[in-house]
Amino acid sequence: MAEAQDSSRVERAPVIAAPEVAPQEAVTYPASPAGHRLVPHTADCIVEAWGPGRAACVSEALSALVESFASGTGSSEPRPMPLDAVPAGPADQLVSLLEDLIYVMDVFSVVPVGFRLVDTEDGGITGEMDVVPVDEVEEVGPVPKAVSYHELSMTGTSQRGWRCRVLVDV
Amino acid sequence: MSERTPLAVGQIRLRPDERGHDRWRIDPVGSMTVPGIVYSSDALISQVREDQALRQVANVAMLPGIVEASVAMPDVHWGYGFPIGGVAATDVEDGGVVSPGGVGFDISCGVRLLVSGLGAEELGPRLVRLMDVLDRKIPRGLGAGGVWHLRDEHQLLSVLAEGALAALGAGLASEADLAHCEDGGVLQDADPSQVSERALARGFGQVGSLGSGNHFLEVQVVEEIYDPGIAKAFGLSRSQVCVMIHCGSRGLGHQICSDHVRTMLASMPRYGIVVPDAQLACAPVRSEEGRSYLRAMAAAANYGRANRQALSSAVRDAFREALGTAELSLLYDVSHNLAKLEEHDVEGGRRLLCVHRKGATRALPPGHSDLPDDLRPHGQPVLVPGSMGTASYVLVGVEPGGAFSSACHGAGRRLSRHAALRQVRGRELRRELEASGVAVRARSDRGLAEEAPLAYKDVDEVVATCERAGLARRVARLRPLGVVKG
């Protein structure tokens, strides 16, 4: 790498540059059994969600993502589309279903307005999302385009419930 | 297998670098194999501390095969995996890796500047009509829809293989346009067979569309000239009307990145690679996974160039319809999200490097063989879009340059979208912009507020820092007259 030489010696005090935001800060969730929220990120969108089961938790994350950019439920009768994740690690299932949502929006020009997902006995997630044409909702924010693995987490048990955190590129 | 654990908060110490006033250094700690170098001014560095960008600069310094330093541009900010505004080069013949996260999801996101023969005074009140026509003609926002309606998948494959050259065949480009695109508009070694069906489906209906977020199309006026000689060579003069287009490879590029990050996460154990952040997933350049990604990435880059070219054709149509002239010549089209195999001097020897620029612009010096004949004596135009309502810049690459011939890519975000929304009301911002003479055509007031100028660093300070640090030199400053937002 070519270096630009500067003869003037820098005389500044060293700076401790610890980020002011802790990377994996402890997250306190509200007492409600299921819910979601969007967490600030400089350029993109962080979704946090929680629910009593994996499917419930993912449903909340999907709803949060839609709320981040679209408002309204459409004027036409919503059309159901299948939404499934094969048995896999919970974080992989979360990524897979979020990516499915992004895919149908890009390719079919629809926006999901509701999710009905259940856990399957073999560890999968299955169900449907209700979609309406894109021009029936108001676009209120940047559209999600990809799901990041950066500090991705989805953990829980049937006793304690599930929680997830995922950064989505917009 | 070496451990590469993330650095804890407080482990990263940034100190002034003895090599220059606008350089800061993170000495290697933990698994960092090279230092971090941050190009930043005293005014900008406090903003860098406010997010996690520095930790990400340090994480990148742990990538296998990285040489010299993990570098951050003056507009650096918190990304995922790599910081946005990051440059990292790995030694291809010494186990160096390629990381899709080091390119970013929006492969070949970039900027082009079209230069008109009109002066601002000639445009005058006709700006409103021009903006209305652009508002109607430029697809943006959610879903499918582009100005170039492809016939079939075969034509999409030709876009992936040939980039802007495919647009030439479709009557959407001129030979002169291609000459002023990075790589002549076509990144070689693209292999559409490395692109998934899902990526193809996402890309089919979006050629010639802006997307959303920070992407935009602006009608601008040249407000100030810093280097009259180079400005003249670039065809720029004071009061001239230009059009800047900022967008990328849409859903197709994002899908390619997602697909290959997943493949590399699965393959890393085979190569003994451990990364401190999953979004830094990587594979040796000289591996099946590395080659596959680079070929798919090149296909997405070609899509990005064709996308901006198709939009340029729509802009020319809009000028013709609104103003009766379609005279718009392309100054340059350059990506700021890309990995390229380039030769550079490292420790006294010429080495083949995989240079990742994520939110950083290639800035070739005068005389470089990759520049077209008419630009070669002067250096590469570096296009730096500002935030909406503030200035954009044309810079030029310099000798010797720095950061593997790289410069900044924009103003760089300072506030999260949430924070911007807390401080700005979209409707008021729209009124303020209109009152200051900027015509706004945006899809939503909230989207407008999220991209408010106060959400970004001071672009004047960012480019001044680039210049003082010897990365690039200012040629011209452009002010927006009209904004089309996704």
Side-chain angles (χ1 to χ4, degrees):
Chain A
M1 179 173 53
E3 302 288 0
Q5 295 290 335
D6 186 338
S7 58
S8 62
R9 173 80 186 167
V10 178
E11 296 294 348
R12 284 169 289 163
V15 175
I16 303 294
E20 292 174 3
V21 183
Q24 293 271 15
E25 61 188 288
V27 177
T28 306
Y29 291 92
S32 58
H36 59 256
R37 67 182 171 200
L38 300 171
V39 179
H41 178 270
T42 311
D44 293 294
C45 171
I46 295 175
V47 168
E48 288 180 356
W50 55 97
R54 282 175 300 118
C57 181
V58 172
S59 289
E60 292 290 341
L62 291 162
S63 297
L65 192 57
V66 173
E67 286 171 19
S68 75
F69 72 93
S71 175
T73 55
S75 52
S76 61
E77 184 70 21
R79 179 165 60 93
M81 292 183 78
L83 190 60
D84 301 286
V86 298
D92 289 333
Q93 289 179 318
L94 173 67
V95 171
S96 166
L97 292 168
L98 288 168
E99 286 187 345
D100 283 351
L101 184 156
I102 292 168
Y103 176 78
V104 299
M105 292 193 303
D106 253 8
V107 175
F108 302 113
S109 294
V110 294
V111 174
V113 292
F115 302 93
R116 293 184 303 281
L117 298 177
V118 294
D119 296 313
T120 63
E121 288 186 1
D122 63 356
I125 296 174
T126 189
E128 292 178 331
M129 56 183 159
D130 294 322
V131 303
V132 297
V134 63
D135 53 9
E136 291 188 9
V137 298
E138 184 189 0
E139 207 174 306
V140 294
V143 180
K145 290 171 293 196
V147 183
S148 161
Y149 284 87
H150 173 66
E151 295 176 359
L152 169 70
S153 71
M154 179 156 168
T155 57
T157 64
S158 56
Q159 288 77 37
R160 289 188 294 113
W162 287 77
R163 60 182 52 182
C164 68
R165 180 181 169 101
V166 58
L167 189 154
V168 179
D169 179 273
V170 299
Chain B
M1 186 180 297
S2 61
E3 288 298 319
R4 293 177 200 273
T5 50
L7 295 168
V9 174
Q11 274 185 281
I12 302 163
R13 288 180 64 90
L14 188 73
R15 66 174 175 85
D17 187 61
E18 57 276 9
R19 289 185 172 180
H21 191 75
D22 290 290
R23 285 172 56 117
W24 302 74
R25 183 182 176 91
I26 303 169
D27 289 316
V29 290
S31 302
M32 292 171 66
T33 59
V34 293
I37 296 291
V38 181
Y39 289 97
S40 191
S41 65
D42 291 345
L44 293 170
I45 197 70
S46 61
Q47 292 166 8
V48 178
R49 291 187 59 216
E50 290 171 6
D51 61 28
Q52 297 187 41
L54 293 175
R55 194 165 66 93
Q56 295 181 330
V57 172
N59 285 344
V60 170
M62 303 177 195
L63 285 179
I66 187 168
V67 297
E68 296 276 6
S70 164
V71 187
M73 293 291 113
D75 52 331
V76 68
H77 61 91
W78 183 17
Y80 32 80
F82 272 66
I84 297 169
V87 179
T90 62
D91 189 333
V92 172
E93 308 303 349
D94 193 22
V97 295
V98 59
S99 172
V103 171
F105 281 112
D106 197 0
I107 297 167
S108 193
C109 182
V111 187
R112 65 168 43 196
L113 188 70
L114 298 160
V115 181
S116 85
L118 288 173
E121 65 289 347
E122 293 173 81
L123 180 60
R126 292 187 296 167
L127 172 68
V128 174
R129 173 157 166 71
L130 175 62
M131 294 307 296
D132 288 341
V133 177
L134 287 169
D135 189 25
R136 172 162 46 81
K137 281 188 178 289
I138 303 299
R140 55 201 192 272
L142 179 57
V147 297
W148 189 357
H149 303 285
L150 301 180
R151 284 190 310 273
D152 49 27
E153 187 174 302
H154 179 75
Q155 195 174 22
L156 174 59
L157 297 178
S158 76
V159 166
L160 299 181
E162 299 174 2
L165 186 61
L168 180 69
L172 302 171
S174 67
E175 295 279 1
D177 290 339
L178 265 57
H180 278 210
C181 283
E182 180 183 10
D183 310 307
V186 190
L187 194 53
Q188 300 300 322
D189 300 324
D191 183 355
S193 74
Q194 303 301 315
V195 178
S196 69
E197 287 297 325
R198 188 169 261 228
L200 294 175
R202 290 180 70 179
F204 184 74
Q206 296 185 331
V207 191
S209 61
L210 272 185
S212 68
N214 64 350
H215 292 163
F216 66 77
L217 184 152
E218 277 189 0
V219 178
Q220 303 174 336
V221 59
V222 178
E223 188 177 53
E224 191 165 356
I225 298 286
Y226 300 92
D227 187 324
I230 296 203
K232 188 176 179 190
F234 285 179
L236 294 171
S237 57
R238 203 176 155 87
S239 296
Q240 193 172 17
V241 172
C242 300
V243 176
M244 181 173 276
I245 300 172
H246 174 213
C247 61
S249 52
R250 307 288 285 109
L252 178 134
H254 286 76
Q255 189 65 48
I256 287 173
C257 181
S258 298
D259 293 340
H260 287 262
V261 166
R262 224 179 333 268
T263 300
M264 289 187 183
L265 279 173
S267 73
M268 285 195 302
R270 208 154 11 100
Y271 299 109
I273 295 173
V274 180
V275 291
D277 181 329
Q279 198 62 29
L280 292 174
C282 56
V285 173
R286 300 289 195 215
S287 70
E288 183 185 336
E289 292 82 4
R291 280 190 292 271
S292 172
Y293 171 69
L294 284 169
R295 288 170 182 167
M297 182 209 71
N302 286 336
Y303 184 99
R305 284 119 193 239
N307 186 35
R308 290 191 288 275
Q309 185 60 51
L311 285 168
S312 303
S313 178
V315 170
R316 285 174 173 141
D317 287 346
F319 267 63
R320 191 179 293 112
E321 181 179 330
L323 310 173
T325 174
E327 187 192 335
L328 286 160
S329 57
L330 179 60
L331 170 56
Y332 205 60
D333 178 301
V334 65
S335 306
H336 49 229
N337 280 3
L338 209 57
K340 287 187 134 174
L341 301 186
E342 301 172 357
E343 287 192 349
H344 290 270
D345 291 328
V346 178
E347 294 170 356
R350 200 73 178 156
R351 311 265 276 276
L352 180 64
L353 305 179
C354 181
V355 183
H356 301 72
R357 296 184 181 91
K358 182 180 182 183
T361 312
R362 190 188 70 169
L364 298 178
H368 198 285
S369 59
D370 286 351
L371 291 172
D373 292 345
D374 57 337
L375 296 178
R376 191 174 302 128
H378 313 288
Q380 181 207 302
V382 176
L383 308 175
V384 183
S387 60
M388 177 183 54
T390 65
S392 295
Y393 280 86
V394 176
L395 313 181
V396 65
V398 294
E399 188 67 55
F404 310 99
S405 298
S406 307
C408 62
H409 88 305
R413 278 198 86 94
R414 185 174 71 85
L415 298 180
S416 71
R417 296 177 188 282
H418 287 68
L421 285 174
R422 279 200 299 271
Q423 298 183 37
V424 181
R425 290 192 185 281
R427 202 167 297 171
E428 286 174 20
L429 176 62
R430 188 190 294 261
R431 271 201 298 269
E432 285 170 17
L433 287 167
E434 297 274 358
S436 65
V438 182
V440 179
R441 301 294 183 270
R443 283 173 68 90
S444 80
D445 283 337
R446 190 180 122 173
L448 203 60
E450 289 182 354
E451 295 296 323
L454 67 75
Y456 285 83
K457 301 183 205 294
D458 177 355
V459 69
D460 299 332
E461 178 66 12
V462 167
V463 297
T465 304
C466 270
E467 185 164 307
R468 287 195 305 269
L471 300 173
R473 199 170 69 246
R474 286 172 293 186
V475 175
R477 185 179 198 266
L478 298 93
R479 176 172 57 83
L481 296 174
V483 183
V484 178
K485 285 290 298 175

